[in-house]
Amino acid sequence: MAKKFNRKIGKEGEEIAAKFLLGKGYKILERNYYTKFGEIDLIASKNNVLTFIEVKLKHGDDFGIPEEMIGYSKLSQVQRMAEFYLMDKPKMAAIYKAYSIDAVCIMVGEDGEVERISHYENLTF
Amino acid sequence: MLTKVLSAAHFGLEATPIEVEVNVFKKGFPGFSIIGLPNKSIEEAKERVKTALINSGIDFPNLKIIVNLAPADIPKEGSLYDLPIAIGILASMELVKIPEEKSFFYGELSLDGGLRHTKGVFLLALAAKSLGIKNLFVPKDSANEASVIGGINAYPVSSLSELIGFLNGVSEIKKLSHTVHGSLSTGYEAVEFDFSEIIGQESAKRAMTIAAAGGHNIFMQGPPGAGKTMLARATAGILPPLNEEESLEVTKIYSLTGNIPPGEGLITQRPFRTAHHTTSRIGLIGGGSDPHPGEISLSHNGVLFLDEFPEFPRSTLEALRQPLEDGKVSITRIAGSVTFPASFMLIAASNPCPCGYLGDPKKECKCTPRMIMKYQAKLSGPLMDRIDLHINVPAVDIEKLIASPTSSKTSRGAVANSRQIREQVINARKIQNKRFKGLKIYTNASMKNKHIGKFCDIDKGSLLLLKQAVNTYNLSARTYFRLIKVSQTIADLSPERSRRILPNHVAEALQYRIRTNS
């Protein structure tokens, strides 16, 4: 039950993030790319940089802000998945020489309206 | 915006200034990191600072925060960086103004935004004085340690919100006035045992008085139940109060180890420490990768009582040799070398053999010669050579024990109590303090050989007696000088005002030196 609900929220977040990034001039290459380590929410590109994007969406701030949910372990997981993706798609690796890991954090209010979208580029811990 | 707040790190008994640089970024992924070789207790400062700020009514910023403790190559430990980090974050957010005059911020935060008692404030105040930094913001419970040092402003801070108000000029924190050593109470405090409660053992009491008066090491041997431990514990009650310089030295060590109770300033009571024989070598001598003082330094200028002396591991006992001679201990580790003062008076107690009754007139000793040898071999010659007074504490006669409660009314005047003995000891110490004024020596026992020639006035008869004793008993050069020191203390205790060492003083000193039974 809960799992289904999570997936619904994830889907919602990815939709909002993809629209937002398209508006910023990104080209969306993949959505929900599966690896054995997990799932990359979005893979996009802009200015010849391949970007792996983690999307977080939160309804209300009762349990903290979305940024708090992205820590060292989450980022290293995304990094591992990114390496896996590049191995899996040597063509992509040949085209793009620069990569970055980004996060898009979305806050949704009680009424379902998007309150805030923050895009953090090139994360490192 | 980048802000810099001044704090301090401790290494040994020295405090070094540390600059806490805080940057709150306008851009970037939110996070909070501390760099500059912090240890675990500083890593945890993140959670304390964050919660304390929120509970002080401040919105913790969801921004990227980096804290750097500079210079970055000194390892730092302790909870004292909580306050400077919090003030740095507030200043970066432009919520407070850091005073233009250089100021130290120092202290551990509680989750509710209050400040907790933090060790090392006294050392911080000393560093502030030598560096010419005027203002100190320290926890209220620890601020009295800083008020002992004159010429600086110690602000007692009880909570973060109070300090924010003060820095913004909204509210007032009254700086503490300078506490002078003389104003502190140095009166007599009763201890567990009084000398008048100990029945018999007159010669042992006399030896204890001499030891306390001159700071001499003393070794007691006797059967179980004779009163050795009681004698040692009662000695705590005849120790003189610390003079000002001694008090500052002791307070330094106690501040570093966090042994000063909240709200207290200077330590005025002479330390009396006991160590169980399972105490580790590092616990006794001091050490650790970040060198910390051990029991011998905690009993600096006071007494260290080691009961069941031969039960201590051999390596622990032998490690006492150098500090007993030098009055200080140097500990060298990878992190560096630290010297802690360790000028203490050793009281050691032991049984004569494993069963305890060797040489007892009534009870037979059941030990084999081999067992006795093994037991006594624990106490090496070089170690025992450093102990000035060796006394036997024989079992008390049953007649005396029975007689004492009934006759106590009539004989009470004859038995000196701790308060009276303490007066004698204080007088003898006053003479010594005058003698060694300005030399950083406080007792006869810590005289060096060069001082003996300068300060001790020995008459011809005494010299002759000493010479005979050295020849007859084959005494070492060290013993010779220690004999003179003890004789000097006996002379200081005597009612004659000349302070000259006379043959009867030397004779008494010799009597404590020559061990006959073993």
Side-chain angles (χ1 to χ4, degrees):
Chain A
M1 185 67 189
K3 199 100 190 169
K4 236 180 198 168
F5 196 57
N6 278 349
R7 179 150 292 181
K8 208 181 118 200
I9 293 177
K11 201 87 197 147
E12 182 190 348
E14 276 147 30
E15 283 302 327
I16 299 170
K19 218 178 272 174
F20 175 77
L21 290 174
L22 280 171
K24 278 183 92 174
Y26 279 86
K27 200 170 109 192
I28 307 292
L29 304 175
E30 300 266 4
R31 286 180 190 214
N32 299 328
Y33 176 81
Y34 267 99
T35 73
K36 62 181 171 185
F37 304 117
E39 205 181 85
I40 305 179
D41 293 336
L42 289 173
I43 300 174
S45 74
K46 186 185 175 182
N47 300 336
N48 227 10
V49 179
L50 189 62
T51 309
F52 303 90
I53 298 147
E54 172 68 22
V55 180
K56 274 281 169 221
L57 181 137
K58 279 243 162 204
H59 285 277
D61 60 0
D62 287 354
F63 294 95
I65 57 170
E67 279 85 349
E68 283 174 30
M69 312 303 290
I70 302 175
Y72 172 79
S73 58
K74 187 77 199 170
L75 282 181
S76 56
Q77 189 195 357
V78 175
Q79 192 181 344
R80 263 205 316 267
M81 294 189 297
E83 281 161 8
F84 190 86
Y85 173 84
L86 293 171
M87 273 199 318
D88 199 34
K89 311 238 162 141
K91 263 191 192 162
M92 282 296 193
I95 300 168
Y96 297 99
K97 289 293 174 213
Y99 316 104
S100 91
I101 293 172
D102 289 13
V104 173
C105 297
I106 305 159
M107 292 275 282
V108 179
E110 298 288 312
D111 51 359
E113 284 288 299
V114 176
E115 285 182 343
R116 167 172 81 87
I117 301 180
S118 309
H119 179 203
Y120 301 101
E121 292 175 47
N122 206 4
L123 296 179
T124 49
F125 268 78
Chain B
M1 191 182 133
L2 175 72
T3 49
K4 292 180 183 183
V5 181
L6 210 56
S7 194
H10 295 293
F11 190 73
L13 293 176
E14 300 285 324
T16 1
I18 296 288
E19 222 165 8
V20 179
E21 304 176 327
V22 181
N23 200 357
V24 178
F25 290 83
K26 288 265 143 55
K27 271 167 69 176
F29 193 75
F32 188 174
S33 50
I34 301 177
I35 55 171
L37 291 188
N39 78 348
K40 190 72 192 157
S41 56
I42 301 177
E43 278 294 314
E44 288 174 350
K46 285 182 204 169
E47 302 299 327
R48 283 194 298 272
V49 168
K50 192 172 172 179
T51 316
L53 281 172
I54 291 168
N55 286 336
S56 303
I58 285 149
D59 275 333
F60 192 80
N62 282 317
L63 298 167
K64 187 182 175 74
I65 300 169
I66 287 195
V67 176
N68 181 31
L69 308 174
D73 58 346
I74 301 175
K76 292 148 202 97
E77 63 159 18
S79 51
L80 58 102
Y81 300 103
D82 292 4
L83 184 64
I85 291 171
I87 292 298
I89 290 173
L90 288 167
S92 279
M93 290 162 67
E94 295 173 15
L95 290 173
V96 299
K97 261 188 67 184
I98 293 175
E100 275 172 24
E101 208 175 358
K102 276 196 170 179
S103 312
F104 272 126
F105 290 85
Y106 188 100
E108 177 183 329
L109 284 171
S110 157
L111 289 186
D112 62 8
L115 266 89
R116 301 173 60 91
H117 178 51
T118 312
K119 62 187 184 184
V121 170
F122 181 73
L123 299 170
L124 174 81
L126 280 176
K129 187 162 188 190
S130 68
L131 292 168
I133 292 169
K134 270 268 183 216
N135 301 326
L136 260 72
F137 294 93
V138 291
K140 197 177 178 187
D141 281 343
S142 325
N144 277 336
E145 291 176 35
S147 75
V148 174
I149 309 291
I152 50 165
N153 303 328
Y155 291 95
V157 183
S158 58
S159 74
L160 198 52
S161 41
E162 188 191 54
L163 184 57
I164 295 168
F166 175 76
L167 292 175
N168 288 334
V170 182
S171 58
E172 187 68 24
I173 298 177
K174 262 186 106 170
K175 65 185 180 203
L176 290 180
S177 51
H178 176 40
T179 319
V180 188
H181 174 262
S183 68
L184 300 164
S185 101
T186 48
Y188 179 73
E189 271 182 47
V191 291
E192 208 179 345
F193 297 113
D194 194 280
F195 262 54
S196 60
E197 290 169 28
I198 302 169
I199 301 151
Q201 311 295 17
E202 297 309 327
S203 65
K205 284 185 196 171
R206 165 74 181 163
M208 271 302 180
T209 312
I210 295 169
H216 301 288
N217 302 322
I218 185 166
F219 174 74
M220 293 184 284
Q221 198 171 54
K228 298 183 298 294
T229 308
M230 220 171 149
L231 268 165
R233 293 202 177 275
T235 306
I238 64 164
L239 294 173
L242 293 166
N243 70 27
E244 191 170 351
E245 288 96 29
E246 287 177 314
S247 182
L248 290 171
E249 288 173 10
V250 174
T251 308
K252 263 190 187 180
I253 301 164
Y254 275 51
S255 180
L256 178 68
T257 53
N259 278 8
I260 300 179
E264 298 279 317
L266 270 185
I267 301 279
T268 53
Q269 284 283 342
R270 205 164 279 275
F272 184 93
R273 312 274 306 181
T274 53
H276 188 249
H277 62 255
T278 53
T279 309
S280 73
R281 199 168 79 229
I282 284 174
L284 197 69
I285 307 297
S289 59
D290 166 43
H292 257 61
E295 285 294 332
I296 59 166
S297 295
L298 288 169
S299 44
H300 176 60
N301 285 336
V303 172
L304 178 65
F305 173 41
L306 302 180
D307 209 354
E308 312 301 347
F309 203 45
E311 302 296 338
F312 280 82
R314 178 79 188 247
S315 63
T316 306
L317 292 181
E318 298 307 310
L320 285 173
R321 274 158 60 168
Q322 194 225 337
L324 273 176
E325 196 65 24
D326 299 344
K328 62 185 185 214
V329 59
S330 293
I331 299 159
T332 305
R333 295 290 184 271
I334 295 170
S337 183
V338 177
T339 301
F340 291 118
S343 172
F344 60 97
M345 168 186 154
L346 176 69
I347 301 183
S350 148
N351 296 132
C353 66
C355 86
Y357 292 100
L358 182 67
D360 192 272
K362 287 188 182 146
K363 205 161 168 175
E364 196 184 353
C365 172
K366 288 186 190 128
C367 307
T368 61
R370 198 185 147 78
M371 279 161 75
I372 297 169
M373 259 171 65
K374 208 179 148 200
Y375 190 76
Q376 292 182 346
K378 274 279 192 72
L379 308 174
S380 74
L383 180 63
M384 299 311 272
D385 201 39
R386 286 166 167 84
I387 295 175
D388 306 315
L389 305 161
H390 297 250
I391 56 168
N392 272 318
V393 183
V396 185
D397 201 19
I398 183 72
E399 300 297 326
K400 262 190 175 170
L401 284 180
I402 294 171
S404 69
T406 46
S407 62
S408 65
K409 270 181 197 134
T410 50
S411 69
R412 174 149 281 175
V415 181
N417 65 23
S418 289
R419 194 188 285 267
Q420 291 160 335
I421 297 173
R422 189 170 182 255
E423 282 305 315
Q424 292 179 33
V425 172
I426 290 175
N427 282 335
R429 282 275 175 124
K430 269 188 192 148
I431 296 164
Q432 294 168 52
N433 281 338
K434 220 163 123 191
R435 181 178 295 145
F436 306 124
K437 205 166 177 146
L439 281 177
K440 297 234 163 213
I441 298 178
Y442 311 113
T443 57
N444 286 337
S446 38
M447 270 195 282
K448 299 271 178 280
N449 293 353
K450 60 175 180 201
H451 299 132
I452 291 177
K454 198 171 160 195
F455 295 114
C456 298
D457 178 14
I458 313 169
D459 86 336
K460 275 221 175 87
S462 306
L463 273 176
L464 200 70
L465 185 59
L466 274 168
K467 196 175 154 193
Q468 276 177 353
V470 169
N471 284 334
T472 320
Y473 296 104
N474 252 333
L475 299 176
S476 69
R478 176 169 36 221
T479 309
Y480 170 75
F481 286 114
R482 282 184 179 258
L483 271 171
I484 297 176
K485 293 181 204 173
V486 176
S487 308
Q488 183 63 62
T489 304
I490 297 170
D492 290 343
L493 275 171
S494 74
E496 301 134 43
R497 293 194 58 88
S498 69
R499 310 299 160 222
R500 189 154 205 234
I501 299 174
L502 301 173
N504 61 327
H505 302 145
V506 176
E508 190 179 351
L510 270 170
Q511 169 207 322
Y512 298 122
R513 190 67 214 199
I514 313 304
R515 300 213 291 157
T516 44
N517 73 323
S518 58

mmCIF file of all heavy atoms in Angstrom, chain B residues 288-310:
data_model
loop_
_atom_site.group_PDB
_atom_site.id
_atom_site.type_symbol
_atom_site.label_atom_id
_atom_site.label_comp_id
_atom_site.label_asym_id
_atom_site.label_seq_id
_atom_site.Cartn_x
_atom_site.Cartn_y
_atom_site.Cartn_z
ATOM 1 N N GLY B 288 48.373 8.853 27.242
ATOM 2 C CA GLY B 288 47.320 8.827 26.235
ATOM 3 C C GLY B 288 47.832 9.470 24.970
ATOM 4 O O GLY B 288 48.839 10.182 24.996
ATOM 5 N N SER B 289 47.149 9.229 23.847
ATOM 6 C CA SER B 289 47.658 9.766 22.583
ATOM 7 C C SER B 289 47.609 11.287 22.601
ATOM 8 O O SER B 289 48.452 11.961 22.020
ATOM 9 C CB SER B 289 46.839 9.216 21.423
ATOM 10 O OG SER B 289 45.492 9.571 21.587
ATOM 11 N N ASP B 290 46.610 11.837 23.304
ATOM 12 C CA ASP B 290 46.605 13.271 23.558
ATOM 13 C C ASP B 290 46.914 13.396 25.047
ATOM 14 O O ASP B 290 46.040 13.182 25.873
ATOM 15 C CB ASP B 290 45.223 13.831 23.212
ATOM 16 C CG ASP B 290 45.050 15.230 23.770
ATOM 17 O OD1 ASP B 290 45.996 16.014 23.659
ATOM 18 O OD2 ASP B 290 43.979 15.509 24.330
ATOM 19 N N PRO B 291 48.172 13.667 25.418
ATOM 20 C CA PRO B 291 48.609 13.450 26.801
ATOM 21 C C PRO B 291 47.747 14.162 27.855
ATOM 22 O O PRO B 291 47.483 15.355 27.745
ATOM 23 C CB PRO B 291 50.029 14.008 26.797
ATOM 24 C CG PRO B 291 50.479 13.877 25.401
ATOM 25 C CD PRO B 291 49.263 14.148 24.563
ATOM 26 N N HIS B 292 47.318 13.372 28.822
ATOM 27 C CA HIS B 292 46.507 13.871 29.924
ATOM 28 C C HIS B 292 47.231 13.636 31.243
ATOM 29 O O HIS B 292 47.958 12.665 31.377
ATOM 30 C CB HIS B 292 45.160 13.136 29.935
ATOM 31 C CG HIS B 292 44.067 13.963 29.378
ATOM 32 N ND1 HIS B 292 44.089 14.426 28.096
ATOM 33 C CD2 HIS B 292 42.931 14.446 29.942
ATOM 34 C CE1 HIS B 292 43.004 15.145 27.886
ATOM 35 N NE2 HIS B 292 42.290 15.173 28.991
ATOM 36 N N PRO B 293 47.028 14.509 32.225
ATOM 37 C CA PRO B 293 47.686 14.292 33.512
ATOM 38 C C PRO B 293 47.129 13.075 34.248
ATOM 39 O O PRO B 293 45.940 12.770 34.149
ATOM 40 C CB PRO B 293 47.395 15.580 34.285
ATOM 41 C CG PRO B 293 46.281 16.241 33.588
ATOM 42 C CD PRO B 293 46.273 15.764 32.186
ATOM 43 N N GLY B 294 47.985 12.380 34.982
ATOM 44 C CA GLY B 294 47.561 11.241 35.785
ATOM 45 C C GLY B 294 47.425 11.637 37.247
ATOM 46 O O GLY B 294 47.520 12.821 37.584
ATOM 47 N N GLU B 295 47.250 10.618 38.098
ATOM 48 C CA GLU B 295 47.036 10.887 39.528
ATOM 49 C C GLU B 295 48.205 11.653 40.151
ATOM 50 O O GLU B 295 47.998 12.493 41.022
ATOM 51 C CB GLU B 295 46.811 9.588 40.294
ATOM 52 C CG GLU B 295 45.438 8.965 40.084
ATOM 53 C CD GLU B 295 44.300 9.816 40.652
ATOM 54 O OE1 GLU B 295 44.520 10.569 41.613
ATOM 55 O OE2 GLU B 295 43.186 9.737 40.110
ATOM 56 N N ILE B 296 49.436 11.382 39.698
ATOM 57 C CA ILE B 296 50.574 12.061 40.332
ATOM 58 C C ILE B 296 50.540 13.564 40.052
ATOM 59 O O ILE B 296 50.992 14.352 40.867
ATOM 60 C CB ILE B 296 51.943 11.476 39.904
ATOM 61 C CG1 ILE B 296 52.150 11.558 38.400
ATOM 62 C CG2 ILE B 296 52.110 10.059 40.394
ATOM 63 C CD1 ILE B 296 53.594 11.311 37.995
ATOM 64 N N SER B 297 49.981 13.938 38.885
ATOM 65 C CA SER B 297 49.879 15.369 38.606
ATOM 66 C C SER B 297 48.660 15.972 39.299
ATOM 67 O O SER B 297 48.676 17.129 39.701
ATOM 68 C CB SER B 297 49.786 15.619 37.104
ATOM 69 O OG SER B 297 50.977 15.214 36.486
ATOM 70 N N LEU B 298 47.610 15.166 39.438
ATOM 71 C CA LEU B 298 46.420 15.654 40.147
ATOM 72 C C LEU B 298 46.716 15.853 41.630
ATOM 73 O O LEU B 298 46.033 16.604 42.305
ATOM 74 C CB LEU B 298 45.255 14.679 39.966
ATOM 75 C CG LEU B 298 44.637 14.673 38.573
ATOM 76 C CD1 LEU B 298 43.679 13.508 38.421
ATOM 77 C CD2 LEU B 298 43.911 15.974 38.289
ATOM 78 N N SER B 299 47.745 15.159 42.141
ATOM 79 C CA SER B 299 48.100 15.386 43.545
ATOM 80 C C SER B 299 49.294 16.326 43.669
ATOM 81 O O SER B 299 49.942 16.379 44.705
ATOM 82 C CB SER B 299 48.366 14.058 44.251
ATOM 83 O OG SER B 299 49.138 13.207 43.460
ATOM 84 N N HIS B 300 49.576 17.085 42.622
ATOM 85 C CA HIS B 300 50.644 18.087 42.653
ATOM 86 C C HIS B 300 50.408 19.058 43.813
ATOM 87 O O HIS B 300 49.295 19.527 44.026
ATOM 88 C CB HIS B 300 50.648 18.850 41.324
ATOM 89 C CG HIS B 300 51.642 19.974 41.271
ATOM 90 N ND1 HIS B 300 52.996 19.766 41.431
ATOM 91 C CD2 HIS B 300 51.485 21.308 41.104
ATOM 92 C CE1 HIS B 300 53.619 20.934 41.339
ATOM 93 N NE2 HIS B 300 52.732 21.881 41.146
ATOM 94 N N ASN B 301 51.464 19.330 44.575
ATOM 95 C CA ASN B 301 51.397 20.188 45.769
ATOM 96 C C ASN B 301 50.531 19.592 46.866
ATOM 97 O O ASN B 301 50.202 20.276 47.827
ATOM 98 C CB ASN B 301 50.883 21.591 45.431
ATOM 99 C CG ASN B 301 51.938 22.424 44.741
ATOM 100 O OD1 ASN B 301 53.130 22.164 44.907
ATOM 101 N ND2 ASN B 301 51.517 23.415 43.973
ATOM 102 N N GLY B 302 50.153 18.341 46.717
ATOM 103 C CA GLY B 302 49.327 17.695 47.737
ATOM 104 C C GLY B 302 49.858 16.309 48.048
ATOM 105 O O GLY B 302 51.065 16.061 47.977
ATOM 106 N N VAL B 303 48.947 15.429 48.370
ATOM 107 C CA VAL B 303 49.325 14.097 48.827
ATOM 108 C C VAL B 303 48.763 13.035 47.894
ATOM 109 O O VAL B 303 47.618 13.119 47.464
ATOM 110 C CB VAL B 303 48.788 13.853 50.258
ATOM 111 C CG1 VAL B 303 48.997 12.414 50.676
ATOM 112 C CG2 VAL B 303 49.461 14.786 51.237
ATOM 113 N N LEU B 304 49.608 12.053 47.579
ATOM 114 C CA LEU B 304 49.132 10.870 46.870
ATOM 115 C C LEU B 304 49.282 9.687 47.809
ATOM 116 O O LEU B 304 50.374 9.410 48.300
ATOM 117 C CB LEU B 304 49.942 10.630 45.593
ATOM 118 C CG LEU B 304 49.550 9.375 44.805
ATOM 119 C CD1 LEU B 304 48.141 9.492 44.271
ATOM 120 C CD2 LEU B 304 50.516 9.138 43.659
ATOM 121 N N PHE B 305 48.179 9.036 48.102
ATOM 122 C CA PHE B 305 48.202 7.908 49.036
ATOM 123 C C PHE B 305 48.049 6.608 48.264
ATOM 124 O O PHE B 305 47.045 6.392 47.594
ATOM 125 C CB PHE B 305 47.070 8.078 50.060
ATOM 126 C CG PHE B 305 46.888 6.892 50.971
ATOM 127 C CD1 PHE B 305 47.976 6.213 51.499
ATOM 128 C CD2 PHE B 305 45.614 6.462 51.313
ATOM 129 C CE1 PHE B 305 47.807 5.126 52.334
ATOM 130 C CE2 PHE B 305 45.434 5.370 52.149
ATOM 131 C CZ PHE B 305 46.533 4.701 52.662
ATOM 132 N N LEU B 306 49.069 5.754 48.343
ATOM 133 C CA LEU B 306 49.011 4.450 47.678
ATOM 134 C C LEU B 306 48.969 3.366 48.746
ATOM 135 O O LEU B 306 49.984 3.053 49.376
ATOM 136 C CB LEU B 306 50.221 4.256 46.753
ATOM 137 C CG LEU B 306 50.392 5.304 45.650
ATOM 138 C CD1 LEU B 306 51.633 4.993 44.820
ATOM 139 C CD2 LEU B 306 49.170 5.354 44.749
ATOM 140 N N ASP B 307 47.783 2.843 48.981
ATOM 141 C CA ASP B 307 47.606 1.784 49.965
ATOM 142 C C ASP B 307 47.987 0.459 49.306
ATOM 143 O O ASP B 307 47.907 0.334 48.090
ATOM 144 C CB ASP B 307 46.138 1.769 50.418
ATOM 145 C CG ASP B 307 45.997 1.253 51.835
ATOM 146 O OD1 ASP B 307 47.018 0.803 52.390
ATOM 147 O OD2 ASP B 307 44.880 1.317 52.381
ATOM 148 N N GLU B 308 48.383 -0.514 50.101
ATOM 149 C CA GLU B 308 48.807 -1.828 49.594
ATOM 150 C C GLU B 308 49.874 -1.640 48.508
ATOM 151 O O GLU B 308 49.759 -2.144 47.397
ATOM 152 C CB GLU B 308 47.611 -2.618 49.039
ATOM 153 C CG GLU B 308 46.380 -2.677 49.920
ATOM 154 C CD GLU B 308 46.644 -3.310 51.296
ATOM 155 O OE1 GLU B 308 47.713 -3.923 51.474
ATOM 156 O OE2 GLU B 308 45.812 -3.157 52.183
ATOM 157 N N PHE B 309 50.889 -0.919 48.870
ATOM 158 C CA PHE B 309 51.937 -0.501 47.928
ATOM 159 C C PHE B 309 52.523 -1.649 47.098
ATOM 160 O O PHE B 309 52.654 -1.526 45.881
ATOM 161 C CB PHE B 309 53.030 0.210 48.725
ATOM 162 C CG PHE B 309 53.891 1.147 47.940
ATOM 163 C CD1 PHE B 309 53.345 2.047 47.043
ATOM 164 C CD2 PHE B 309 55.277 1.140 48.120
ATOM 165 C CE1 PHE B 309 54.155 2.926 46.339
ATOM 166 C CE2 PHE B 309 56.085 2.012 47.409
ATOM 167 C CZ PHE B 309 55.520 2.900 46.523
ATOM 168 N N PRO B 310 52.874 -2.800 47.713
ATOM 169 C CA PRO B 310 53.503 -3.863 46.901
ATOM 170 C C PRO B 310 52.530 -4.542 45.939
ATOM 171 O O PRO B 310 52.961 -5.304 45.084
ATOM 172 C CB PRO B 310 54.001 -4.872 47.945
ATOM 173 C CG PRO B 310 53.916 -4.171 49.254
ATOM 174 C CD PRO B 310 52.828 -3.165 49.131
#
